[in-house]
Amino acid sequence: MSEIKIQRASSDDAKEILSLLKVIGSESDNLSFDENGLSVTEKEEADFLSSIEHSDREAFFVARKASEIIGTAHYTAFSKKRMAHRGEFGICVRKSECGKGIGSRLLEEVLRFAKEVARSEIVSLEVRSDNQGAIRLYKKFGFEKTGCFHGFFKINDELIDFDIMEKML
């Protein structure tokens, strides 16, 4: 297996990230986007990545296999003073690469950034209540379910529940 490298994304990655998110969106109903990907232009994505490239509150990571991006993770620490001790993240990995430890590697990098750079004390996420693979991953890293958001998504007129999970750093 090719070595997987996790690194912060740069503005040069914008086009490949947007293409990947269309693929991943077509493979899964677990994400906030579908096969259309994100509703941003390549320039908007590049500008966003450039704006956070050296941030100590927000980071966008890519997982590369050879030179191809196969997964992403985005961490954001809250900026409002009363919430600045908290942050949240999302991870997505190409279906063909799931189960190979890439999600774990991305999550390790997110948690390192959250603790060492953003100085967050609590990290939270929302995950589809029936996404057992992702829930197992988050539990492996010490996340605990703290609640349920009923009807977090609505897909084809079906309300889909999400678990709210958090970890104290």
Side-chain angles (χ1 to χ4, degrees):
M1 181 171 114
S2 297
E3 183 181 345
I4 304 299
K5 292 183 179 159
I6 309 296
Q7 62 192 82
R8 279 183 92 152
S10 75
S11 58
D12 294 339
D13 296 320
K15 182 177 183 177
E16 189 176 359
I17 289 168
L18 292 176
S19 294
L20 174 67
L21 296 182
K22 285 181 180 181
V23 171
I24 293 174
S26 73
E27 297 174 335
S28 173
D29 283 335
N30 295 330
L31 304 166
S32 61
F33 54 89
D34 59 16
E35 67 276 357
N36 296 307
L38 303 182
S39 58
V40 299
T41 67
E42 185 180 330
K43 182 180 181 335
E44 289 169 332
E45 183 71 2
D47 288 347
F48 163 71
L49 292 170
S50 181
S51 75
I52 67 166
E53 197 167 356
H54 302 289
S55 172
D56 63 356
R57 305 294 298 158
E58 186 170 10
F60 196 101
F61 299 99
V62 293
R64 290 185 186 277
K65 182 178 181 181
S67 62
E68 179 186 10
I69 297 174
I70 56 171
T72 68
H74 179 211
Y75 180 81
T76 305
F78 292 98
S79 58
K80 292 182 179 175
K81 184 177 179 182
R82 292 182 177 186
M83 297 170 65
H85 64 289
R86 299 177 38 225
E88 59 187 5
F89 73 95
I91 290 179
C92 60
V93 176
R94 197 178 178 128
K95 190 173 187 174
S96 63
E97 301 297 332
C98 287
K100 298 178 181 178
I102 296 157
S104 291
R105 295 274 310 280
L106 284 164
L107 186 49
E108 286 170 355
E109 192 60 30
V110 162
L111 293 174
R112 184 203 63 76
F113 178 87
K115 184 174 185 174
E116 296 175 11
V117 181
R119 304 275 188 234
S120 298
E121 298 171 38
I122 302 171
V123 176
S124 62
L125 64 100
E126 296 90 23
V127 59
R128 255 183 90 136
S129 299
D130 61 356
N131 187 347
Q132 293 306 309
I135 291 169
R136 272 192 305 278
L137 171 68
Y138 301 138
K139 285 183 175 179
K140 178 175 108 175
F141 280 84
F143 284 84
E144 296 179 357
K145 179 179 175 178
T146 58
C148 181
F149 193 124
H150 300 286
F152 191 81
F153 276 5
K154 187 174 186 180
I155 301 175
N156 300 324
D157 290 326
E158 179 186 355
L159 295 175
I160 299 169
D161 297 344
F162 270 59
D163 290 352
I164 301 163
M165 300 182 81
E166 67 182 33
K167 173 183 175 65
M168 303 293 286
L169 296 179

